C-alpha cells in the first residue's frame, strides 16, 4: 500500500489532563505509516481501553508506550528513531515504563540488531499482531471477551472506519519491503469480515473502507476462492451502512466483475486508487509490476466507461534505479493523458533486502537525490494543475457530503469521489450526509455552504 499517512499525536499542552486514571494504567500509541498501520493502531487502542487502560496525551504520562513503525521509506524510519531518542528521557525518569516497537520496521533479519542498538525498547513485535502487543501491557484489569474493534468510544464513534481484510503481499515489486516484513498474503474469511463490519456499523460508523496491500486480490487463498466483489456485496447489504470503499488495488487483479459490481452497488463509492508507479514500459518491467502502460490505459478506459463519475488516484515513484530522463518524460505524459484526481508521489528510497536497493548500488542506474527532487517537483506541478482543473467541475454544483467532524471552525467531510469538502453550519452534523453547494474549488479541497 503506497498511500502513506503520517500520524503524530504530539500537540501543545494547553489543557490540564482531568482523567483520574493513574499512570500505571495509561498508554501512549504513536503511529507512522500507511492506512493499514493507522487501522492496526486504532484496534490496539480499542483493545487497551477494553482491558482497562486510558489514553495519555504525552508519552511521559503513560506506563505503556507503543510505536507503530513503517519501513516503506527511510524518512519514516528516521522519524521512529527520533521518537525513540525522546523516549530515553521517559525511561530515565520512569524506568518501569514499558516500550514496544511494533510494525514493519521489525523483521527477523533486524530484531537482534535492534535489541543491541535500542536499549530503551523492551519488546519488538511484528506488524498487525494486536493481541501480542496487548498481552505485553503490564497492568490490565479486564480481559477481552471478543476481538477488539477500531471503535473504542461508542459515545463518539468514528464516522469512517478502515477494516483490514488481508495481510501481507505476494507481489515481488522491486522497490517494496512489505512482503519481507508482513509476509505472504493472508485473507480473512468473508463471514468474519461481514460480522466485524456489522458490529462496527452497529456502534455508529457510517462508512467502511476495506484495506489490503493488494486489496483486489482478496479471497484467492480462501476455500472456494471468493472475490472482492463477493465481499463488497455482502458488506453493502448491512443495515445502517451509508458508504463503502476499498484500497489499495493492483491492475493485475482489477477484474471486469469487480468494476461492474462497483458500478451496480449504490453505496459503493465512485473512488478508486490504482497505482501505476511509472509511465514507461521499460521501467515497469524493471519494477516487476507485471503490466504495460497500454494495458493500464485500457483498464482505465474500461473503468471510466463503466463508472463515468469515478475519481481515480494513483501512486508514482520517481527516481527508481534505471529511470532515465525519457522514462520520466513518459510518466509525465501518461499522467497528463489520464488526468488523475490525485497522485501520491514518492521519491525512490532504497529499502534493505529489495532488488531495487541492489540496483541502486550500480552507479549507472542510480538517480541522484537532486534529480529525484527535480522530477518530484515537476510531477507535483502537473498534478496540481490537473487537480485544479478537475475540481472546477464542482463549482456551483450541489454534492452529498458525509460529515466526519469539525476542523478549525468548519465542518469537514467528503463527497462520493472522496474529495474533501469544508462548510460552516451552526448544528453538529457529524455522521450525517448533507447537501453542500460548492462555492470555491482548489486542487486539494472544496468549500461550500449547506443547502436544504
Amino acid at each position: 500500500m503506497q498511500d502513506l499517512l503520517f500520524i503524530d499525536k504530539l500537540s501543545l499542552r494547553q489543557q490540564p489532563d482531568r482523567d483520574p486514571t493513574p499512570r500505571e494504567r495509561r498508554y501512549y500509541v504513536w503511529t507512522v505509516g500507511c492506512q493499514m498501520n493507522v487501522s492496526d493502531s486504532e484496534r490496539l487502542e480499542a483493545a487497551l481501553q477494553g482491558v482497562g487502560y486510558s489514553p495519555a496525551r504525552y508519552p511521559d504520562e503513560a506506563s505503556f508506550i507503543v510505536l507503530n513503525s513503517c519501513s516503506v521509506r527511510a524518512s519514516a524510519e528516521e522519524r521512529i528513531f527520533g521518537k525513540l531518542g525522546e523516549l530515553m528521557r521517559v525511561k530515565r525518569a520512569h524506568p518501569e515504563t514499558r516500550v514496544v516497537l511494533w510494525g514493519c520496521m521489525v523483521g527477523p533479519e533486524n530484531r537482534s540488531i535492534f535489541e543491541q542498538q535500542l536499549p530503551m525498547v523492551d519488546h519488538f513485535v511484528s506488524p498487525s499482531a494486536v493481541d501480542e502487543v496487548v498481552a505485553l501491557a503490564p497492568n490490565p484489569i479486564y480481559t477481552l471477551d471478543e476481538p477488539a474493534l477500531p471503535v473504542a468510544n461508542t459515545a463518539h464513534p468514528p464516522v469512517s472506519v478502515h477494516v483490514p481484510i488481508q495481510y501481507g503481499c505476494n507481489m515481488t515489486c522491486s522497490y517494496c519491503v512489505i512482503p519481507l516484513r508482513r509476509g505472504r498474503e493472508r485473507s480473512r474469511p468473508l463471514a468474519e469480515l461481514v460480522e466485524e463490519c456489522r458490529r462496527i456499523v452497529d456502534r455508529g460508523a457510517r462508512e467502511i473502507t476495506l484495506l489490503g496491500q493488494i486489496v483486489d486480490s482478496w479471497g484467492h487463498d480462501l476455500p472456494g476462492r471468493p472475490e472482492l466483489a463477493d465481499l463488497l456485496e455482502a458488506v453493502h447489504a448491512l443495515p445502517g451502512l451509508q458508504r463503502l470503499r476499498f484500497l489499495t488495488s493492483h491492475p493485475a487483479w482489477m477484474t471486469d466483475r469487480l468494476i461492474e459490481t462497483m458500478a451496480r452497488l449504490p453505496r459503493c463509492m465512485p473512488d478508486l486508487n490504482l497505482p501505476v508507479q511509472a509511465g514507461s514500459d521499460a521501467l515497469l518491467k524493471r519494477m516487476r509490476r507485471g503490466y504495460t502502460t497500454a494495458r493500464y490505459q485500457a483498464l482505465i478506459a474500461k473503468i471510466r466507461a463503466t463508472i463515468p463519475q469515478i475519481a481515480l488516484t494513483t501512486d508514482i515513484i520517481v527516481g527508481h534505479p534505471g529511470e532515465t530522463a525519457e522514462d520520466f518524460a513518459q510518466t509525465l505524459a501518461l499522467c497528463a493523458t489520464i488526468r488523475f484526481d490525485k497522485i501520491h508521489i514518492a521519491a525512490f528510497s532504497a529499502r534493505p533486502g529489495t532488488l531495487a536497493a541492489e540496483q541502486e548500488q550500480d552507479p549507472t542506474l542510480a538517480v541522484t537525490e537532486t534529480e529525484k527532487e527535480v522530477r518530484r517537483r515537476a510531477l507535483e506541478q502537473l498534478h496540481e494543475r490537473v487537480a485544479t482543473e478537475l475540481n472546477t467541475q464542482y463549482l456551483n454544483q450541489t454534492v452529498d457530503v458525509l460529515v466526519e467532524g469539525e476542523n478549525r471552525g468548519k465542518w469537514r467531510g467528503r463527497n462520493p469521489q472522496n474529495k474533501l469538502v469544508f462548510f460552516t453550519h451552526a448544528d453538529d452534523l457529524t455522521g450525517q450526509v448533507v447537501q453542500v453547494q460548492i462555492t470555491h474549488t482548489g486542487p486539494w479541497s472544496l468549500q461550500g455552504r449547506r443547502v436544504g
Side-chain angles (χ1 to χ4, degrees):
M1 189 181 305
Q2 305 304 320
D3 182 11
L4 297 186
L5 302 177
F6 293 101
I7 311 300
D8 188 342
K9 292 187 177 182
L10 291 179
S11 59
L12 295 177
R13 298 182 184 231
Q14 298 175 339
Q15 299 294 330
D17 188 352
R18 296 184 173 86
D19 189 333
T21 305
R23 185 179 183 278
E24 59 264 26
R25 289 205 308 278
R26 294 286 196 96
Y27 71 84
Y28 179 84
V29 176
W30 195 77
T31 307
V32 170
C34 67
Q35 192 59 58
M36 185 72 78
N37 271 20
V38 175
S39 177
D40 287 344
S41 291
E42 289 172 348
R43 288 168 186 274
L44 174 63
E45 293 204 48
L48 288 171
Q49 292 176 38
V51 299
Y53 278 75
S54 291
R57 293 181 299 168
Y58 309 102
D60 57 358
E61 298 173 347
S63 66
F64 189 54
I65 299 174
V66 181
L67 305 188
N68 196 355
S69 64
C70 172
S71 60
V72 170
R73 298 180 198 161
S75 59
E77 291 189 348
E78 289 166 0
R79 297 186 68 197
I80 288 291
F81 285 127
K83 176 58 69 175
L84 287 170
E86 295 178 26
L87 295 184
M88 288 289 290
R89 296 193 298 271
V90 177
K91 290 284 281 188
R92 282 195 291 266
H94 304 280
E96 77 284 359
T97 302
R98 191 168 296 180
V99 176
V100 178
L101 179 60
W102 183 35
C104 289
M105 280 179 65
V106 180
E109 78 284 357
N110 61 14
R111 188 185 298 259
S112 61
I113 298 174
F114 279 164
E115 289 173 352
Q116 297 174 12
Q117 295 180 345
L118 304 175
M120 76 293 291
V121 177
D122 298 286
H123 304 283
F124 299 87
V125 182
S126 299
S128 300
V130 174
D131 293 344
E132 185 176 343
V133 177
V134 175
L136 297 172
N139 302 300
I141 58 176
Y142 308 114
T143 58
L144 294 175
D145 296 327
E146 56 186 356
L149 298 177
V151 183
N153 188 343
T154 55
H156 302 283
V159 172
S160 181
V161 173
H162 292 75
V163 176
I165 67 172
Q166 67 174 188
Y167 298 104
C169 181
N170 290 352
M171 306 301 290
T172 58
C173 299
S174 63
Y175 49 83
C176 187
V177 75
I178 293 299
L180 300 176
R181 299 299 169 82
R182 288 187 175 266
R184 294 186 63 78
E185 284 181 3
R186 306 173 306 283
S187 298
R188 299 176 61 195
L190 187 147
E192 174 185 307
L193 289 167
V194 173
E195 173 60 18
E196 181 170 300
C197 290
R198 181 194 65 76
R199 292 171 57 204
I200 290 171
V201 174
D202 286 349
R203 292 193 181 193
R206 292 294 168 255
E207 177 181 79
I208 285 177
T209 300
L210 306 177
L211 285 182
Q213 304 297 149
I214 306 291
V215 71
D216 44 349
S217 73
W218 173 86
H220 72 92
D221 56 336
L222 294 175
R225 296 179 64 86
E227 299 178 15
L228 181 59
D230 298 311
L231 181 59
L232 290 177
E233 293 198 21
V235 175
H236 183 274
L238 293 174
L241 180 69
Q242 294 179 328
R243 290 183 173 182
L244 180 60
R245 305 181 193 270
F246 60 91
L247 63 90
T248 294
S249 303
H250 190 287
W253 293 91
M254 184 59 54
T255 65
D256 290 351
R257 184 187 172 208
L258 179 55
I259 297 168
E260 291 161 1
T261 300
M262 286 185 66
R264 177 168 48 83
L265 299 179
R267 288 188 289 279
C268 193
M269 295 294 98
D271 161 40
L272 182 65
N273 178 245
L274 195 62
V276 64
Q277 302 300 0
S280 156
D281 287 345
L283 194 55
L284 288 174
K285 185 176 181 180
R286 183 178 292 277
M287 288 178 161
R288 294 182 169 180
R289 290 294 291 174
Y291 52 83
T292 63
T293 54
R295 179 180 172 188
Y296 185 90
Q297 291 185 83
L299 180 58
I300 293 295
K302 182 184 299 182
I303 292 169
R304 282 180 163 157
T306 308
I307 314 172
Q309 71 275 28
I310 194 81
L312 291 168
T313 65
T314 198
D315 303 348
I316 289 178
I317 296 173
V318 299
H320 184 283
E323 182 185 63
T324 65
E326 177 57 28
D327 290 329
F328 179 67
Q330 291 177 26
T331 296
L332 282 177
L334 179 75
C335 292
T337 299
I338 294 179
R339 294 172 63 81
F340 295 103
D341 289 78
K342 188 173 183 179
I343 303 175
H344 306 291
I345 307 168
F348 173 77
S349 177
R351 302 286 75 213
T354 63
L355 175 62
E358 297 177 12
Q359 294 173 344
E360 195 178 42
Q361 298 304 308
D362 184 343
T364 66
L365 298 177
V367 178
T368 67
E369 295 302 317
T370 299
E371 184 59 26
K372 289 177 187 177
E373 182 63 14
V374 168
R375 295 176 187 181
R376 186 188 65 79
R377 289 182 179 179
L379 187 54
E380 278 188 346
Q381 291 170 1
L382 171 64
H383 171 35
E384 182 172 359
R385 183 168 65 252
V386 170
T388 299
E389 294 169 358
L390 290 175
N391 284 351
T392 57
Q393 67 181 304
Y394 294 101
L395 188 62
N396 299 321
Q397 299 296 311
T398 298
V399 299
D400 291 333
V401 176
L402 175 59
V403 183
E404 298 173 354
E406 194 173 13
N407 181 272
R408 299 181 180 180
K410 293 185 177 183
W411 294 108
R412 173 187 187 272
R414 296 176 187 271
N415 75 345
Q417 286 78 14
N418 215 22
K419 307 277 186 177
L420 270 173
V421 181
F422 296 92
F423 66 98
T424 56
H425 198 271
D427 299 333
D428 185 346
L429 302 171
T430 304
Q432 299 182 39
V433 176
V434 301
Q435 290 195 315
V436 176
Q437 184 180 38
I438 304 304
T439 57
H440 175 77
T441 66
W444 319 128
S445 66
L446 311 173
Q447 306 277 340
R449 61 179 182 85
R450 167 85 185 275
V451 297

